[in-house]
């Protein structure tokens, strides 16, 4: 379930021209808003719903983001897990099982929506379409095979207050952020991972 969460999505003539301009403007508005967030640190409460909107799971944890392309997503409930990206490598560590899976960040960009929060790469944003409803931005993947189908970001002023992730199985994960800190110093070591001794490591980069 957690893997599916991360795993972080034309008409012609005058109508198409108008839609393209609007989409481009909305994308730029979101990118400028995200660009003001050099670092982000917050606690979160998470709820996961199935396609019938039945509650499947609840959790708590902390999210840290640092530009460029760094994030640390750590759950403390219902069990401790850690998902870290430094722009080059993704680490997913299941603490109870002492298992670590390592991914190449560029090849696995669709596993995690957090990459969008710290990237301005045109080739990445071209994979998504962005719409806006007030302080709410909806990011939809153009790739029908993307693990993350839709990412919804809600802001309170300049701060990210809520995030929703809809995956390919129509499971919806909602994250409500509290104790938000913007643009505070975050040590780079928080976005790297050294596995504990006796960890079972599956390095997907070698495949």
């Amino acid at each position: 379930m957690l893997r599916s969460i991360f795993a972080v999505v034309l008409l012609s003539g005058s109508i198409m021209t108008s839609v393209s301009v609007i989409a481009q403007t909305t994308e730029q508005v979101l990118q400028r808003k995200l660009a003001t967030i050099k670092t982000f640190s917050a606690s979160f409460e998470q709820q996961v719903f199935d396609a019938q909107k039945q509650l499947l799971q609840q959790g708590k944890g902390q999210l840290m983001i640092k530009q460029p392309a760094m994030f640390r997503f750590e759950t403390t409930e219902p069990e401790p897990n850690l998902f870290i990206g430094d722009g080059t490598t993704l680490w997913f560590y299941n603490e109870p099982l002492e298992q670590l899976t390592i991914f190449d960040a560029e090849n696995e960009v669709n596993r995690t929506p957090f990459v969008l929060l710290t990237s301005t790469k045109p080739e990445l944003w071209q994979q998504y379409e962005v719409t806006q409803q007030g302080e709410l931005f909806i990011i939809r993947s153009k790739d029908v095979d993307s693990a993350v189908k839709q990412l919804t970001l809600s802001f309170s002023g300049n701060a990210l207050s809520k995030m929703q992730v809809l995956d390919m199985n129509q499971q919806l994960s909602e994250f409500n952020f509290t104790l938000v800190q913007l643009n505070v110093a975050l040590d780079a070591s928080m976005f790297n991972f050294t596995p504990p001794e006796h960890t079972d490591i599956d390095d997907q980069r070698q495949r």
Side-chain angles (χ1 to χ4, degrees), residues 19-106:
V19 171
S20 295
V21 171
I22 294 173
Q24 184 181 24
T25 302
T26 304
E27 178 181 310
Q28 290 175 341
V29 169
L30 177 57
Q31 287 184 356
R32 286 196 298 268
K33 200 171 189 68
L34 292 173
T36 66
I37 304 176
K38 304 303 181 183
T39 68
F40 174 90
S41 177
S43 298
F44 67 78
E45 293 188 354
Q46 176 190 9
Q47 291 183 309
V48 182
F49 302 89
D50 64 16
Q52 289 72 45
K53 301 189 184 304
Q54 298 295 312
L55 182 62
L56 297 177
Q57 181 176 304
Q58 298 185 78
K60 294 182 179 179
Q62 186 173 33
L63 173 63
M64 296 182 183
I65 295 172
K66 182 176 183 177
Q67 296 201 46
M70 297 182 183
F71 69 86
R72 180 187 181 95
F73 179 87
E74 184 172 6
T75 61
T76 55
E77 298 179 18
E79 63 179 26
N81 285 293
L82 190 59
F83 196 52
I84 295 177
D86 68 352
T88 302
T89 305
L90 301 177
W91 295 269
F92 174 60
Y93 179 58
N94 185 314
E95 183 175 330
L97 297 179
E98 297 183 307
Q99 293 179 344
L100 173 67
T101 307
I102 306 174
F103 304 96
D104 180 89
E106 185 173 352

Side-chain angles (χ1 to χ4, degrees), residues 123-179:
E123 62 270 23
L124 176 62
W125 282 88
Q126 286 171 4
Q127 300 176 40
Y128 301 87
E129 59 181 16
V130 184
T131 57
Q132 181 181 3
Q133 300 174 7
E135 289 292 279
L136 185 147
F137 292 84
I138 302 171
I139 306 167
R140 296 184 178 90
S141 175
K142 297 177 182 178
D143 183 1
V144 295
D145 296 322
S146 175
V148 176
K149 308 305 292 184
Q150 180 174 298
L151 173 66
T152 303
L153 304 177
S154 300
F155 290 84
S156 177
N158 291 327
L160 184 64
S161 59
K162 184 176 181 178
M163 181 173 68
Q164 295 179 316
V165 182
L166 181 67
D167 72 14
M168 62 191 308
N169 298 315
Q170 297 301 302
Q171 286 190 2
L172 180 68
S173 296
E174 294 187 349
F175 301 87
N176 288 288
F177 299 112
T178 58
L179 304 178

